Amino acid sequence: IRNRDVTGVQTCALPISSLTLTLSLRKKGEDNCSRAIMTVHRFPPQRRLTKSHEFERVRTKGDVVRGKLLSIGFLLCPEGRLQAGFITSRRVGNAVLRNRVRRRLREIFRRHQSEINSPCHLVTIASARAAKATCAELEQEWLRLARRTSILAP
């Protein structure tokens, strides 16, 4: 299915099972975007924990697993939907470092959200060591902790 969006960029959407693959095709040199952009999974606002009482509920009623770089708090909620929140305190570093760690954690969750087998609320808390860790190390730690919580599909 090919069409043009409002900016005049030709797009191509291909339905693949439950995922939708969208490619933006731009002419070489136009807006310095000569590569195809691919969107597979999304992390929409409905999947985010944003309110302090939601974080507090996970902390008080849920369980926590701790690692060297991260801690994951989780609360199973069979009536609800999967939602995630991320905490990076000032101990992680300045605003640039905190935002970088938070972006990495959001990307890790976005990539693996389809593997989570039960609706729950997840709160991922970054330790000060997370600022010096690579994205691969953070992902490995997050997956290890998520397996310990038994929320990942085998």
Side-chain angles (χ1 to χ4, degrees):
I1 304 166
R2 288 181 181 253
N3 59 2
R4 292 194 182 269
D5 65 5
V6 291
T7 61
V9 175
Q10 186 177 3
T11 61
C12 178
L14 306 168
I16 302 174
S17 67
S18 65
L19 306 176
T20 301
L21 176 67
T22 304
L23 298 175
S24 290
L25 309 170
R26 294 183 182 258
K27 292 181 183 172
K28 198 168 196 171
E30 182 179 293
D31 295 329
N32 292 330
C33 293
S34 58
R35 59 186 171 90
I37 301 166
M38 192 167 80
T39 305
V40 178
H41 298 336
R42 294 190 65 229
F43 184 39
Q46 300 87 0
R47 290 243 168 135
R48 299 178 188 162
L49 293 175
T50 55
K51 308 228 183 310
S52 61
H53 67 85
E54 295 171 332
F55 283 91
E56 184 67 24
R57 186 170 159 236
V58 174
R59 190 180 72 76
T60 58
K61 296 184 180 178
D63 294 320
V64 178
V65 290
R66 290 179 177 82
K68 291 181 180 180
L69 304 174
L70 305 170
S71 295
I72 294 181
F74 66 100
L75 176 63
L76 297 176
C77 41
E79 75 285 345
R81 63 174 167 240
L82 174 64
Q83 290 185 305
F86 306 95
I87 298 174
T88 52
S89 71
R90 289 188 186 154
R91 282 184 238 154
V92 172
N94 63 22
V96 174
L97 289 174
R98 291 194 307 268
N99 288 329
R100 181 181 301 143
V101 170
R102 202 174 303 125
R103 279 193 308 270
R104 288 176 176 177
L105 293 174
R106 273 197 306 263
E107 176 63 17
I108 291 166
F109 174 79
R110 187 192 66 80
R111 275 190 283 189
H112 297 286
Q113 66 185 345
S114 61
E115 299 170 27
I116 297 175
N117 59 7
S118 59
C120 62
H121 291 178
L122 286 175
V123 175
T124 304
I125 304 166
S127 72
R129 295 179 188 175
K132 294 179 181 165
T134 65
C135 193
E137 291 169 340
L138 286 173
E139 184 171 19
Q140 186 178 31
E141 175 89 356
W142 191 88
L143 287 171
R144 185 179 68 77
L145 294 175
R147 282 189 195 98
R148 280 181 48 196
T149 63
S150 302
I151 58 169
L152 283 185

